[in-house]
Amino acid sequence: MKITVMGGGNGSYAAVADAVEAGHDVRWWRRDKEKFAPLGTPPKLTVTDHAGSREIVVETSDDLGWAMEGAEVILAPTPAFAQEDMSKALAPHLVDGQVIFLAPGSFGSWIMLERVRKAGCTADVAFCETGTLPWLCRKKGEAEVRITTRASRLPTGVLPARLTDMALGKLSEVFPDAIERCEDALSGALMNAGPIIHPPLILMNAGPIQHFDSWDIHNEGTQPAIRAVHDKLDAERMAIREKLGYDAPHFPLTDHYNTSNWMYGNLAHDKLVDSGDWHEALDLYDHRYMTEDIAVGLALLVSIGQWAGVPTPVASGLLAIAGAVTGRDLRGEGRTFENLGLAERSVADVQQDLKEGLA
């Protein structure tokens, strides 16, 4: 399969590594070609996982037209706040039948489809989003990625939902036996684990994060009091899913800590802690957990709860605390149904557009 990978973050590196090693025809695009320089000539990426370390040859470019030529699947494991710019870049190059995979998306599928339509693109494409990054991974410099484990279950929603069979069929060739069907893209967005895991971890660990040079929020930072907040926050997410008519499994976060049934399986939390890769310096103001999981994902969750008539006291409280920490009105400026122009629309009306797409 011809695959385009966009971006230069942890997930993009892992996506390139796995897709190339699976035998796909992979083209890797970044806006800044100079960022590829550490890969050498020809470009080689070192991947380290349970099987050891090895080098793989990769194809790179800053020419998105070249990278997109003939692509069936576009993997975009980029931050949610990059989705608008990414939409503008993609719009001239999209053609019927392509699948754009956001991992995760924070309802970015809606934003991206809306933006490419406004840019004049009429291609019948599928924007998909799943509940987590398909890899627990970390870059080690600009030429190596360490993959601790891979997702074994990826609940995925598609916009428009009428293209679900086509889209999930293609994604299943990229992530064999892992893709699981969600009803639509909003259902997929409400599987996003980041806004559930990370806000309690960084806000309730704010003291040690700012005091110590490095801190592992998943090890020292995951204490019973924080897990109790996780459970209440996740209960709000699942209550919203049920109110909107979305079926189980809802992938409760408790499974991540206590079973092998969650998205990564095999007690992935233990692997994450054992790797030591998450003992790191965190900046409360600039880290992706704040700028994406709270300002985008948690703000979205609170607004959907209000739209659906489901109380979200824990999510709303965490969002308010994050606003106090950053000095920002995250409820007002974040990714919310109000700011997306959806708050006054009925559930049935929105779900119809989720099924058929946007004109």
Side-chain angles (χ1 to χ4, degrees), residues 71-321:
E72 298 169 76
V73 172
I74 297 93
L75 301 179
T78 56
F81 48 76
Q83 289 164 351
E84 291 211 32
D85 285 344
M86 190 162 56
S87 303
K88 296 174 185 176
L90 282 172
H93 307 291
L94 293 173
V95 298
D96 289 354
Q98 288 179 317
V99 175
I100 301 92
F101 185 64
L102 311 178
S106 297
F107 209 40
S109 54
W110 182 280
I111 290 172
M112 291 188 69
L113 182 55
E114 187 176 61
R115 296 302 184 270
V116 300
R117 290 290 181 260
K118 286 184 177 178
C121 174
T122 60
D124 197 21
V125 298
F127 286 91
C128 311
E129 52 183 279
T130 190
T132 190
L133 195 67
W135 312 268
L136 286 177
C137 59
R138 277 293 186 267
K139 289 167 55 178
K140 296 297 177 181
E142 293 298 318
E144 179 180 0
V145 62
R146 290 171 57 90
I147 301 175
T148 300
T149 193
R150 296 165 174 85
S152 56
R153 303 181 69 186
L154 289 169
T156 302
V158 180
L159 178 67
R162 60 180 171 78
L163 296 180
T164 297
D165 288 344
M166 178 276 290
L168 298 193
K170 291 185 177 181
L171 290 175
S172 293
E173 294 189 42
V174 185
F175 304 102
D177 303 318
I179 298 293
E180 298 191 22
R181 187 186 191 102
C182 289
E183 295 90 340
D184 56 37
L186 183 56
S187 176
L190 287 168
M191 291 293 192
N192 190 352
I196 308 302
I197 296 177
H198 297 137
L201 288 180
I202 66 165
L203 293 172
M204 297 177 74
N205 282 289
I209 285 172
Q210 293 194 317
H211 177 74
F212 295 109
D213 291 336
S214 60
W215 183 256
D216 190 336
I217 61 172
H218 297 288
N219 187 11
E220 301 100 316
T222 301
Q223 300 299 327
I226 296 173
R227 284 287 298 110
V229 175
H230 274 150
D231 290 343
K232 293 294 186 181
L233 177 59
D234 203 30
E236 293 175 1
R237 176 189 68 88
M238 291 187 286
I240 292 170
R241 286 185 51 81
E242 290 174 352
K243 181 66 178 292
L244 293 175
Y246 295 132
D247 293 332
H250 301 304
F251 287 82
L253 182 60
T254 186
D255 285 350
H256 170 60
Y257 292 99
N258 300 319
T259 77
S260 294
N261 297 329
W262 202 64
M263 299 182 201
Y264 292 112
N266 298 321
L267 292 174
H269 177 72
D270 295 340
K271 293 181 180 179
L272 184 154
V273 169
D274 291 344
S275 74
D277 287 342
W278 279 260
H279 192 94
E280 57 189 349
L282 295 176
D283 186 321
L284 279 180
Y285 307 100
D286 296 330
H287 198 277
R288 185 168 169 175
Y289 296 160
M290 182 68 78
T291 59
E292 177 168 10
D293 291 323
I294 294 180
V296 176
L298 196 63
L300 179 70
L301 186 69
V302 170
S303 73
I304 296 175
Q306 183 172 342
W307 175 69
V310 177
T312 57
V314 176
S316 298
L318 289 167
L319 188 65
I321 292 170

